[in-house]
Amino acid sequence: LQELQSGLTRDRLAGRVGRQELVLVEGRSKRQGPPDTVSWTGRDPGGRLVHVHLPVERDCTGELLRVAIARAHKHSLSGEVI
């Protein structure tokens, strides 16, 4: 049953790649990217977790950002700010 659910989740997230979404930024991600950026975590309108890398000096907590979804992961998405 868990394998079935994992497959369904993977397929649904993969279907979001290439779309543009408004993401409400919740805060810094637990995992960080390159040294000159900060990884932020937010949610799209469907409640899906989205990770975005932004310059270090910018605090985006509470902001709505338009994000191009670039990759689907096991339980989340990642993208770039447009």
Side-chain angles (χ1 to χ4, degrees):
L1 184 59
Q2 289 178 336
E3 187 175 316
L4 174 62
Q5 182 60 53
S6 292
L8 293 171
T9 299
R10 182 179 52 249
D11 292 346
R12 289 183 67 104
L13 290 175
R16 309 307 295 175
V17 174
R19 295 183 182 215
Q20 294 182 10
E21 299 284 354
L22 278 178
V23 174
L24 176 59
V25 179
E26 296 177 338
R28 287 182 179 226
S29 177
K30 293 178 188 175
R31 293 186 177 173
Q32 292 300 309
D36 58 338
T37 65
V38 174
S39 182
W40 296 89
T41 299
R43 304 262 176 191
D44 72 1
R48 291 170 286 269
L49 196 62
V50 180
H51 300 284
V52 180
H53 295 292
L54 296 168
V56 173
E57 69 274 358
R58 185 169 176 193
D59 182 356
C60 295
T61 303
E63 290 185 30
L64 278 172
L65 302 175
R66 182 161 302 280
V67 175
I69 304 299
R71 290 170 297 285
H73 307 284
K74 188 173 182 179
H75 298 292
S76 64
L77 300 162
S78 59
E80 300 172 5
V81 174
I82 300 173

